[in-house]
């Protein structure tokens, strides 16, 4: 499979090169040259297939023979070494819980898949790489966990000071070994810009062999599409499905749209956002207008210039009307999010995290006027947002042991401004 840049100013590359480069040199994003249609037989049998087999068949469409079958199956099985349960919250409304991995966030799936793919290719060539990633919360901890101790790979994580939860911060600043955390004075968008600027600096990129683990990397998108096939395997065929995706940088939603292009029969995708409503605003006005992000209680979605908009734009031929047919967008305030967490917990006993609550709100709004079975993504365990959630429900939240283990560890982070020169100093230090 070849991958092209959405800006179409550089040559096509292999899957291996696309995931090592992360970002094309023309500042576009990689997309597969062909989005393969899965055969009818696959969908006829999907309801009887285990998750690992579904994921292997999907991944193979993007990787082809670059990773042999045996190794690709091992990568998939190692990635999905935990459950993705579907929980009925109320009639015809289901939560797909994606937080049962080691860091209690949906990004465990993408980070573990990417780590295993990079490790496979690194073993083949003894190639060293530096993973450079910006995080608004869960990406950093998932990447840190996925790459911890991995030979030939250093990881540098940029996060905005004071704008992620305490547990999220502990998860990415306490591991040591090949993981370096940088606490940046600024917003997630500032961190993301530093990553992009580093990749566009060809001298810097080549010197430290930079690659990214953000959703700009295709090996993050591919495994995130597994969720949607799994949802259909459990609920589809008899039912028309609407899926609401809490959205910030839009990697998760883009993965769902790719799955639909592969033939997955999803009736409607819903982009549910907090106050950072860049895409819902675009769907209304037809004008894509990035802006400075604002801080909310659903912090992992605090993104003012979502990278994956450009992939969706490419997918839809830069046509806003096609966007509107394929995607509905809703936006919610912190007050609406908090009220929903309290209401749903009080009425059903189901505890939403702030991101899942936004997804739930978008789904319920869609279902007011449309017939479908609804699924929203629960993207992180509520315990990752203790201060917020406990203050809303006025009860203690049980902390899973795998999160508890981080709390008393010593934080180690490098303080810095949103400055590429300071980032280069960090890269120089860890490469010695």
């Amino acid at each position: 499979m070849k991958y092209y840049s959405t800006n179409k100013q550089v040559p096509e590359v292999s899957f291996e090169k696309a995931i090592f480069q992360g970002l094309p040199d023309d500042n576009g994003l990689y997309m597969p040259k062909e989005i393969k249609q899965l055969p009818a037989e696959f969908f006829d049998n999907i309801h009887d297939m285990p998750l690992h087999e579904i994921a292997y068949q999907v991944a193979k469409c993007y990787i082809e023979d670059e990773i042999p079958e045996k190794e690709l199956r091992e990568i998939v099985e190692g990635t999905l070494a935990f459950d993705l349960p579907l929980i009925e919250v109320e009639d015809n409304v289901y939560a797909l819980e994606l937080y049962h991995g080691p860091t209690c966030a949906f990004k465990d799936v993408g980070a573990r898949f990417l780590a295993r793919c990079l490790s496979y290719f690194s073993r083949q060539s003894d190639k060293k790489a530096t993973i450079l990633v910006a995080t608004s919360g869960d990406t950093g901890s998932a990447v840190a966990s996925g790459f911890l101790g991995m030979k030939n790979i250093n990881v540098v994580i940029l996060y905005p000071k004071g704008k992620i939860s305490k547990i999220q911060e502990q998860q990415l600043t306490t591991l040591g070994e090949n993981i370096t955390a940088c606490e940046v004075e600024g917003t997630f968008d500032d961190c993301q810009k530093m990553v992009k600027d580093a990749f566009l600096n060809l001298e810097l990129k080549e010197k430290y062999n930079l690659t990214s683990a953000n959703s700009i990397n295709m090996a993050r998108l591919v495994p995130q599409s597994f969720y949607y096939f799994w949802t259909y395997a459990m609920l589809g065929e008899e039912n028309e499905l609407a899926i609401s995706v809490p959205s910030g940088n839009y990697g998760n939603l883009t993965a769902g749209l790719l799955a639909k292009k592969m033939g997955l029969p999803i009736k409607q995708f819903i982009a549910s956002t907090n106050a950072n409503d860049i895409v819902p605003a675009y769907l209304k006005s037809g004008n894509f207008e990035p802006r400075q992000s604002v801080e909310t209680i659903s912090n992992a979605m605090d993104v003012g210039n979502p990278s994956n908009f450009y992939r969706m734009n490419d997918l839809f031929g830069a046509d806003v009307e096609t966007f509107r047919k394929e995607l509905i967008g809703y936006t919610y305030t912190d007050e609406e999010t908090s009220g929903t967490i309290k209401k749903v917990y009080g009425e059903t006993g189901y505890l939403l995290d702030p991101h899942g609550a936004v997804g739930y709100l978008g789904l319920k709004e869609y279902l007011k006027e449309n017939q479908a079975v609804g699924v929203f993504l629960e993207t992180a365990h509520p315990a990752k947002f203790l201060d917020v959630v406990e203050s809303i429900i006025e009860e203690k939240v049980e902390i899973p042991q795998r999160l508890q283990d981080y709390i008393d560890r010593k934080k180690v982070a490098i303080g810095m401004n949103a400055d590429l020169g300071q980032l280069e100093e960090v890269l120089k230090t860890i490469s010695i």
Side-chain angles (χ1 to χ4, degrees):
M1 175 67 74
K2 292 293 185 183
Y3 288 80
Y4 66 89
S5 167
T6 53
N7 284 343
K8 300 178 175 65
Q9 300 298 309
V10 292
E12 295 172 356
V13 299
S14 64
F15 177 75
E16 177 183 359
K17 190 163 185 182
I19 69 171
F20 268 104
Q21 280 199 309
L23 197 71
D25 293 340
D26 64 356
N27 198 27
L29 293 170
Y30 281 120
M31 284 286 281
K33 186 173 181 181
E34 179 188 0
I35 300 173
K36 292 193 171 182
Q37 290 285 300
L38 286 157
E41 181 184 10
F42 173 82
F43 292 105
D44 290 341
N45 297 327
I46 194 171
H47 309 289
D48 300 316
M49 292 165 65
L51 174 58
H52 292 166
E53 182 61 28
I54 293 169
Y56 167 74
Q57 295 295 339
V58 173
K60 187 172 66 171
C61 293
Y62 291 96
I63 297 170
E64 295 183 331
D65 58 357
E66 287 191 59
I67 300 177
E69 178 178 348
K70 179 177 179 292
E71 286 78 4
L72 183 54
R73 286 188 181 277
E74 288 173 355
I75 287 170
V76 165
E77 288 175 15
T79 296
L80 298 167
F82 47 87
D83 293 334
L84 305 178
L86 194 66
I87 308 298
E88 188 168 19
V89 176
E90 55 195 59
D91 286 348
N92 285 333
V93 172
Y94 294 82
L96 182 65
E97 291 186 346
L98 301 174
Y99 56 67
H100 292 270
T103 73
C104 295
F106 81 94
K107 293 177 181 179
D108 282 324
V109 174
R112 287 160 69 87
F113 185 84
L114 172 60
R116 283 158 174 76
C117 288
L118 288 176
S119 178
Y120 169 79
F121 289 124
S122 294
R123 288 198 309 271
Q124 303 307 110
S125 61
D126 202 33
K127 190 177 187 180
K128 291 182 171 58
T130 300
I131 307 295
L132 182 60
V133 63
T135 186
S136 55
D138 289 327
T139 291
S141 54
V143 168
S145 172
F147 284 90
L148 181 64
M150 199 158 279
K151 186 182 175 185
N152 289 341
I153 295 177
N154 285 318
V155 178
V156 177
I157 301 168
L158 310 179
Y159 72 96
K161 181 178 180 180
K163 293 180 172 64
I164 67 174
S165 77
K166 177 64 176 173
I167 287 181
Q168 286 173 323
E169 185 175 42
Q170 286 294 103
Q171 285 183 300
L172 57 95
T173 61
T174 62
L175 295 176
E177 295 190 42
N178 59 327
I179 311 297
T180 300
C182 298
E183 187 177 30
V184 178
E185 294 282 355
T187 66
F188 168 74
D189 292 314
D190 295 323
C191 297
Q192 182 164 262
K193 184 177 185 301
M194 289 172 71
V195 170
K196 287 188 173 182
D197 287 347
F199 278 96
L200 293 173
N201 183 321
L202 299 187
E203 181 182 349
L204 197 66
K205 183 178 178 181
E206 290 175 12
K207 184 176 181 180
Y208 299 106
N209 197 16
L210 297 180
T211 189
S212 177
N214 280 96
S215 57
I216 59 176
N217 196 306
M218 271 305 304
R220 276 277 309 277
L221 284 190
V222 169
Q224 288 176 179
S225 69
F226 301 163
Y227 313 147
Y228 303 100
F229 288 96
W230 183 234
T231 299
Y232 179 76
M234 290 188 282
L235 282 182
E237 194 171 40
E238 299 292 324
N239 302 306
E240 290 190 313
L241 298 183
I243 301 181
S244 175
V245 185
S247 299
N249 216 15
Y250 286 82
N252 220 1
L253 184 48
T254 301
L257 294 169
L258 286 170
K260 189 172 182 180
K261 283 277 187 181
M262 295 176 77
L264 186 66
I266 301 300
K267 179 180 180 179
Q268 183 66 58
F269 277 106
I270 302 153
S272 300
T273 71
N274 58 26
N276 298 283
D277 62 341
I278 312 304
V279 170
Y282 165 75
L283 292 170
K284 288 179 184 174
S285 70
N287 298 315
F288 181 66
E289 298 176 336
R291 62 176 185 269
Q292 188 74 17
S293 61
V294 297
E295 197 170 338
T296 75
I297 61 171
S298 48
N299 65 283
M301 293 151 57
D302 292 350
V303 181
N305 187 8
S307 292
N308 284 288
F309 172 83
Y310 301 99
R311 276 196 175 108
M312 294 189 292
N313 200 46
D314 185 82
L315 203 60
F316 297 144
D319 178 47
V320 68
E321 291 305 323
T322 306
F323 255 99
R324 288 167 176 156
K325 287 175 188 171
E326 295 290 340
L327 196 59
I328 290 176
Y330 301 119
T331 181
Y332 300 98
T333 65
D334 278 357
E335 290 73 23
E336 289 171 307
T337 304
S338 299
T340 295
I341 293 171
K342 186 166 190 171
K343 180 174 182 289
V344 171
Y345 184 65
E347 292 179 355
T348 71
Y350 189 84
L351 184 57
L352 300 161
D353 92 283
H355 309 78
V358 172
Y360 171 91
L361 277 164
L363 180 62
K364 291 290 283 186
E365 189 158 342
Y366 173 79
L367 292 176
K368 284 178 187 174
E369 297 181 0
N370 298 276
Q371 289 290 320
V373 171
V375 178
F376 66 95
L377 305 190
E378 251 299 345
T379 55
H381 195 288
K384 297 191 82 168
F385 313 96
L386 275 182
D387 292 346
V388 170
V389 175
E390 287 184 345
S391 68
I392 292 170
I393 66 170
E394 300 177 327
E395 290 183 26
K396 285 288 183 186
V397 174
E398 185 177 352
I399 304 174
Q401 189 59 48
R402 59 193 188 282
L403 290 183
Q404 190 72 49
D405 290 343
Y406 290 97
I407 290 176
D408 296 324
R409 294 182 186 177
K410 183 182 177 183
K411 169 187 167 181
V412 179
I414 298 170
M416 62 188 296
N417 294 320
D419 177 80
L420 189 60
Q422 290 188 35
L423 176 58
E424 184 171 8
E425 287 301 312
V426 172
L427 294 171
K428 189 185 299 181
T429 301
I430 67 169
S431 68
I432 294 172

